Amino acid sequence: MTTSAETTQSVDPAAGGPHGPAHPETDTAGSTAKTIALVLIAAVGMYVMAMSLSTALSLRIASVAPDTKDVLYSRIVSIGAFAMLVVVPLAGALSDRTTSRFGRRRPWIVGGLLVTLLGALVVGASPNPLVIGAAYIVAVAAMQAGFNAYAVIPVEAVPDAMRARVMGVMGLFGALAFSGGSYLTGALVDQPLLLMTVPVLLALIASLPLLVLYRDPVKVRTEVPALDVRSMAVGMLVNPRKHPNFGWTWLARFLAGMAMAALFTYFIYFMIDVLHVPLPEVGAKAGLLTLISAPVSIIFFTGSGWLSDKIGRRKPIVAVAALFMAAGLVLGATASSFTGFAVAWVVFAVGQAAYLTVDLALCASVLPDSRDAGKDMAVFGLALNIPNILVPALGPTVLALGAGQNYAALWIGAAVLCIAGAALMPLIKGVR
């Protein structure tokens, strides 16, 4: 396998390569269809859990420490995000090296969900904010490790020609889970144990068919990377010089992630500060934005994946999606009414839905070595997680420029990042 930027060919785990199988782990059309069905059933619960835990924590903290809830919640979430930067790639690397008779991914899904459930039980039962914080950090790190192991299955077991469609439906479930999780946690706010544990139990129940019926390939030691702690630590991150396709794809995803975090972190404050929406009405307006964009998300999460698989192209759709997000940010930054901002929100939703669907398939197509798929997909996940740390840290400084409340600088700057990410697409070689 050559490694120069001009000649490197992407190694698609589904298509074969120096270390990859000649075909997906499930070879027949029937077994592939079964795997897809099992993955999508699990997605319902997994995404509700992933989208609900943070909201559940905020409600739990508000009930036990109402006077210091903002500071406590921010610190717990920030420490949890830092923990995930280390734990998730490490768990992914260990998953790649697992030779259990139950397969590589299944033990990590089960283990991650069980640890998450235990942590959620502690959060729901304890009135001590420090105990709640420690338990939540353990729970959210375990949840992400288990979720990552689950998310590798469609990369390994679904043919490339179908992968974008499957990931599009998964992304659609994620979008719908955001609203569903909000209603779920709102209904359980007065029952802390159920508030914290029901989302995890839903993930466990929805994952049972996958855990029982999916034939998670069992690997022997000669088929997986060596369990060498030193070399594993050195190889935890992918060298972009050696694997430029991976590096450019990661960077483009990171720039898009910065833009998404910039919009979603501050749109509530924009409505208050710039559009002068009264505080009691902000929640309803935010819900209305979600409702307006839901049909758009449904169409573009599923449609963009189908189109990408149909024409056999990833990069042009990712680039156009990034440009839609940039347009949405510019429209939002210049909006002077809620109606104008709603239009900007919908335009951004078009780009985000298409981007998250096809970009994930693009990531799967540039993995350097299918044996490290778990670790490498976790590294791709960091491209979206790191912005959730950086944007809240840098945002207040940008907003304070000039006379303050400078949302134009923040969001137009984020739009520039989106455009830069789109411009990186031609640098990714060997992928259409």
Side-chain angles (χ1 to χ4, degrees):
M1 177 177 178
T2 55
T3 57
S4 68
E6 292 78 14
T7 58
T8 298
Q9 298 297 311
S10 64
V11 179
D12 184 339
H19 303 291
H23 302 285
E25 301 289 6
T26 51
D27 294 322
T28 68
S31 58
T32 297
K34 183 180 83 170
T35 298
I36 291 172
L38 295 173
V39 165
L40 294 180
I41 292 169
V44 175
M46 294 292 274
Y47 275 102
V48 168
M49 174 185 67
M51 297 294 179
S52 299
L53 280 188
S54 178
T55 302
L57 174 69
S58 67
L59 295 172
R60 182 68 179 131
I61 289 293
S63 69
V64 299
D67 295 333
T68 56
K69 61 182 182 300
D70 295 338
V71 174
L72 283 172
Y73 177 74
S74 178
R75 288 178 179 174
I76 293 170
V77 171
S78 296
I79 295 172
F82 277 112
M84 286 189 289
L85 296 183
V86 177
V87 171
V88 177
L90 176 61
L94 292 173
S95 172
D96 292 331
R97 291 159 172 78
T98 297
T99 55
S100 161
R101 65 189 182 91
F102 299 106
R104 289 194 295 175
R105 313 304 175 192
R106 184 185 287 115
W108 288 89
I109 297 172
V110 174
L113 291 178
L114 290 179
V115 172
T116 303
L117 181 60
L118 290 175
L121 281 168
V122 174
V123 173
S126 176
N128 188 314
L130 292 178
V131 174
I132 288 174
Y136 178 81
I137 290 166
V138 172
V140 77
M143 183 270 290
Q144 287 290 354
F147 191 96
N148 179 70
Y150 154 75
V152 176
I153 291 176
V155 173
E156 295 178 322
V158 176
D160 182 63
M162 302 174 66
R163 194 177 292 145
R165 279 170 283 181
V166 173
M167 291 177 173
V169 177
M170 290 170 64
L172 170 61
F173 287 166
L176 297 177
F178 183 78
S179 296
S182 297
Y183 285 113
L184 176 65
T185 53
L188 299 174
V189 66
D190 294 326
Q191 304 176 66
L193 273 176
L194 295 180
L195 171 69
M196 298 307 307
T197 58
V198 166
V200 187
L201 290 172
L202 283 176
L204 275 167
I205 292 169
S207 299
L208 281 177
L210 178 71
L211 295 171
V212 173
L213 300 176
Y214 172 60
R215 294 180 59 189
D216 191 1
V218 176
K219 301 291 184 178
V220 298
R221 293 201 177 278
T222 57
E223 296 178 293
V224 301
L227 187 57
D228 183 321
V229 175
R230 183 175 181 277
S231 62
M232 189 171 68
V234 171
M236 189 59 65
L237 297 179
V238 177
N239 186 340
R241 288 175 176 262
K242 186 177 181 182
H243 303 289
N245 284 347
F246 188 102
W248 291 125
T249 304
W250 191 96
L251 179 58
R253 193 173 218 234
F254 170 76
L255 295 175
M258 291 288 286
M260 294 178 204
L263 179 65
F264 296 137
T265 301
Y266 291 105
F267 81 97
I268 292 287
Y269 294 158
F270 175 82
M271 288 195 292
I272 295 171
D273 295 336
V274 178
L275 303 183
H276 306 296
V277 176
L279 187 60
E281 297 179 17
V282 168
K285 293 289 188 184
L288 180 58
L289 289 174
T290 303
L291 184 63
I292 292 171
S293 62
V296 170
S297 296
I298 291 171
I299 292 169
F300 283 91
F301 266 119
T302 54
S304 60
W306 176 86
L307 177 63
S308 177
D309 286 340
K310 186 73 173 177
I311 66 176
R313 292 180 179 273
R314 311 295 193 210
K315 295 189 296 183
I317 297 177
V318 170
V320 171
L323 295 178
F324 265 90
M325 287 194 291
L329 286 162
V330 172
L331 289 172
T334 56
S336 58
S337 67
F338 179 77
T339 300
F341 185 68
V343 172
W345 184 272
V346 170
V347 172
F348 190 90
V350 169
Q352 186 199 27
Y355 192 98
L356 291 178
T357 296
V358 184
D359 170 69
L360 197 56
L362 176 62
C363 292
S365 297
V366 297
L367 298 180
D369 187 337
S370 65
R371 297 181 304 171
D372 275 327
K375 182 264 291 181
D376 291 341
M377 289 302 292
V379 173
F380 271 128
L382 297 182
L384 296 182
N385 290 335
I386 292 174
N388 291 321
I389 300 171
L390 294 180
V391 169
L394 301 175
T397 301
V398 178
L399 290 173
L401 294 175
Q405 299 182 4
N406 199 339
Y407 293 92
L410 179 68
W411 287 348
I412 291 175
V416 171
L417 296 182
C418 274
I419 295 170
L424 294 176
M425 290 297 109
L427 299 177
I428 302 171
K429 307 298 182 181
V431 182
R432 298 177 67 191

